[in-house]
Amino acid sequence: MGTATFKGGIHTYEGKELTQDKQTKVLMPKGELVYPMSQHIGAPAKSIVAKGDYVLMGQKIGEADGAISANVISAVSGTVKAVEPRLTSSGLMVESVIIENDNLYKPIEGLGEKRDYAKLSKEQIRSIIKESGIVGLGGAAFPTQVKLTPGDDSKIDTVIINAAECEPYLTSDYRMMLEEPEKIMNGLKIILKLFPNAKGIIGIEDNKPEAIKKLTELVNGEDKIEIKALKTKYPQGGERQLVYAVTGRKLNSTILPYQVGCVVNNVDTAIAIYMAVAESTPLMRRIVTVAGDAVKEPGNFNVKTGTNFREVLEAAGGLTEEPEKMISGGPMMGQALFSLDIPVSKTTSALLCFTKDYVADMEPSSCIRCGRCGYACPAQIIPQKMYICSQNNDAEGFIKLDGMECCECGCCTYVCPAKLSLTQSFRQMKRSILESRKK
């Protein structure tokens, strides 16, 4: 079996050995649970409960407010303590529903009931996915029902399950491939039911041979599903890089996957689709990797959304020493944290704690024009020249260099011997340009 890939990219220390062999443990929350109304791309959901209301496990507490939005579901039963702004992993205060868990886990009627998805219509499947609050769990958090409604189902010929998990340290998707592969397969089959002309491809980096073996065994006899081994390289799981590696089709910032006949969903999104459609269970949990050299007992945890990050860290034995760096998500594209008093949300994939903040210790120097950033860039643009534009606030020059195609993967910053904050400067430049276009 050959390995598919893309141009550019980098090879990093993987750090996956800390947790890849750790069975996923279920974590039951202790204190209050916090549900931000904005856990997805698009308009925030609108709270439909008030202080004093009693809610059930699986109950909708936030309703999608617009075409690009998503419902929010309570993972516990209990009483609404407040509806107020709370801190999130983005560093922003977001309107949130706070629920005092009564630890009874009283479910809504029908929660967990089996359903034969083969008998459901496309409209019913899409409606269930929408009501279940499912978003892309690979990090983008785009509402899944919207992604699965491209307009003309017949034009989709490839459904890709993103099982690359290329971010260092993260093993939550890998554990799901070993522990719940049938749910991934059935989630893919449900998606394929929406697109009659499509075949399914599960793309897995070749540093996960056990996952490739297990899923390959399951596709035996399936004429519309195949496993494709991908070269282990960051950012292999980036949507543009994955679509190119699997199909040879190119995307850019103005072309979405459906426009080249593809639909891409993450491993855990496929499981969430299966759970919603076939087992009447909305999105109420995340699989979270807790790792880093400051964590006593790194592992993977099945965590109810809304659970406080401190409880997640406690489940991993706490800290060996005070960390200099904490990150929600992976080290390449995750969000640095200054507090653990934030809730696990739909976008949470990992909590990483490190004794040293090597990035903060870096002393940047002048660019030596070595060109490493250009070789590493998966978008095949020129970070060195873009950096000059961003430092001079030259928006026109930045755009001419295709700076808006930067996917902010961090490869250029990683390889830069001058330790320049390239990705950070590009992110700020892109935001400035996008803001100016709104005026």
Side-chain angles (χ1 to χ4, degrees), residues 13 16 21 37 46 96 109 115 118 140 197 199 268 291 296 321 323 350 363 369 378 401:
Y13 165 64
K16 295 178 185 290
D21 296 324
M37 291 295 101
K46 182 172 58 181
S96 304
E109 184 177 356
R115 244 185 323 227
N197 297 330
K199 62 179 180 181
D268 209 24
K296 281 184 180 176
E321 61 180 276
E363 288 291 337
R369 299 185 179 181
L401 290 167

Side-chain angles (χ1 to χ4, degrees), residues 110-121:
L111 185 71
E113 285 184 0
K114 302 289 185 183
R115 244 185 323 227
D116 184 356
Y117 65 81
K119 296 180 179 177
L120 297 176
S121 67

Side-chain angles (χ1 to χ4, degrees), residues 53-96:
D53 287 352
Y54 186 79
V55 300
L56 300 171
M57 181 172 65
Q59 180 176 329
K60 182 167 66 177
I61 56 176
E63 188 166 60
D65 190 18
I68 310 295
S69 187
N71 294 337
V72 178
I73 310 294
S74 175
V76 299
S77 58
T79 303
V80 176
K81 288 176 63 179
V83 180
E84 62 186 23
R86 287 292 183 96
L87 184 66
T88 66
S89 60
S90 67
L92 300 175
M93 300 292 286
V94 175
E95 189 78 354
S96 304

Side-chain angles (χ1 to χ4, degrees), residues 355-397:
T355 56
K356 298 293 182 185
D357 184 352
Y358 293 103
V359 175
D361 291 340
M362 290 179 179
E363 288 291 337
S365 58
S366 298
C367 172
I368 59 173
R369 299 185 179 181
C370 64
R372 293 183 189 178
C373 55
Y375 285 111
C377 178
Q380 302 295 290
I381 47 182
I382 310 172
Q384 179 254 333
K385 291 186 177 179
M386 289 161 50
Y387 184 69
I388 295 173
C389 290
S390 64
Q391 293 304 293
N392 293 311
N393 199 29
D394 179 5
E396 186 177 347

